[in-house]
Amino acid sequence: TMQVVKSTRAVQGPSHENKRHQQGVVCQRRLLIRLFATATTPADVLSSRGLKPYQIERLERELTNKQAEIPSDNASAWLEERVAGLAAVIGDGDGHLANLIYNGGLELLQKDMTVMASQLVELKEALPGVAVSEVVAKEPRLLWAPDVRKTCEAVVKKLVAIYPYKSQDKRGDVLRVVAEYPELLVRMAYYTGDKYRTVQDLPVDLQNRILRNYC
């Protein structure tokens, strides 16, 4: 009697060769993802934060000329990390971040973010009612100036004292002046002594800044 022999051969999965091919495709995809992720240039990073072409060009030259000062082999990754830190400190709206990066340059990017965040708080307390993010965007040195609150308060006090015109709100006028020309908060630190009693006792360029707003 002939017996019907049933096949016991199991359905085979992908061959070893096919598995190797699939693994190779996956590896290629991962490699491409890594390549695209690291293909970002400094210009890409800066452009994504709203910097204009002429601003990007100058900063790229600075990064190239001072490459030895960058603590990373990957300038783009380092720049992206630092810019993100700045955005967390002052925010990323109204173009202030782009202006801050452009005006501060590499010196700004190398500063301690925690220190700058603390400086921003001090500035807000010293300059109530002033848009401090806009002020530091114009004058980044305020983010690392020593004793910034004490200095700014002394400068404002001196400017109020030498205010040359009648006003019902001298302090308010002075705060508007330093908001427009925040470099006064840095430069006037050297002219808060008693011997500077009038605007005319200051250097001519500072006189022009002050009188232009007071008039």
Side-chain angles (χ1 to χ4, degrees):
T1 306
M2 293 181 63
Q3 295 181 346
V4 178
V5 179
K6 296 181 179 180
S7 173
T8 58
R9 192 169 114 185
V11 177
Q12 294 184 347
S15 67
H16 181 65
E17 184 177 349
N18 285 339
K19 285 182 179 179
R20 288 183 61 187
H21 175 72
Q22 291 173 358
Q23 290 172 349
V25 171
V26 170
C27 288
Q28 287 178 343
R29 287 177 179 171
R30 289 175 179 170
L31 176 61
L32 287 172
I33 290 171
R34 286 198 299 270
L35 287 173
F36 281 119
T38 58
T40 302
T41 65
D44 294 330
V45 175
L46 297 170
S47 178
S48 70
R49 295 295 182 170
L51 276 82
K52 298 178 174 66
Y54 76 90
Q55 295 175 319
I56 294 171
E57 184 179 353
R58 199 205 76 185
L59 286 168
E60 281 190 309
R61 285 199 305 270
E62 188 175 359
L63 288 168
T64 300
N65 294 337
K66 299 182 179 180
Q67 192 168 8
E69 298 180 22
I70 299 174
S72 173
D73 293 334
N74 189 331
S76 297
W78 176 82
L79 181 61
E80 191 162 14
E81 178 186 0
R82 303 305 294 174
V83 168
L86 284 174
V89 170
I90 76 157
D92 197 4
D94 301 321
H96 299 327
L97 179 63
N99 290 330
L100 174 65
I101 295 169
Y102 177 68
N103 291 326
L106 186 58
E107 184 178 13
L108 166 77
L109 293 168
Q110 292 175 309
K111 297 297 182 181
D112 187 305
M113 298 294 170
T114 303
V115 171
M116 290 195 287
S118 177
Q119 293 277 98
L120 201 67
V121 172
E122 295 286 315
L123 285 165
K124 288 178 180 178
E125 293 175 352
L127 305 170
V130 174
V132 173
S133 293
E134 183 177 356
V135 166
V136 297
K138 294 177 181 178
E139 185 47 81
R141 289 177 295 177
L142 291 168
L143 288 174
W144 60 84
D147 298 320
V148 70
R149 179 176 180 178
K150 182 179 178 181
T151 299
C152 288
E153 288 175 344
V155 168
V156 170
K157 182 179 179 180
K158 173 57 68 175
L159 288 172
V160 170
I162 64 176
Y163 190 88
Y165 302 107
K166 293 181 179 180
S167 173
Q168 295 180 344
D169 184 15
K170 290 186 177 183
R171 182 176 172 81
D173 288 345
V174 165
L175 289 176
R176 282 189 287 275
V177 172
V178 298
E180 180 68 21
Y181 297 109
E183 66 267 27
L184 288 171
L185 294 169
V186 175
R187 295 196 55 206
M188 278 291 298
Y190 301 99
Y191 305 103
T192 57
D194 292 338
K195 72 176 187 176
Y196 301 102
R197 299 179 181 277
T198 69
V199 173
Q200 285 70 30
D201 293 329
L202 301 173
V204 173
D205 61 327
L206 292 182
Q207 292 183 38
N208 291 337
R209 286 281 190 271
I210 296 167
L211 295 174
R212 185 178 302 165
N213 280 271
Y214 286 161
C215 294

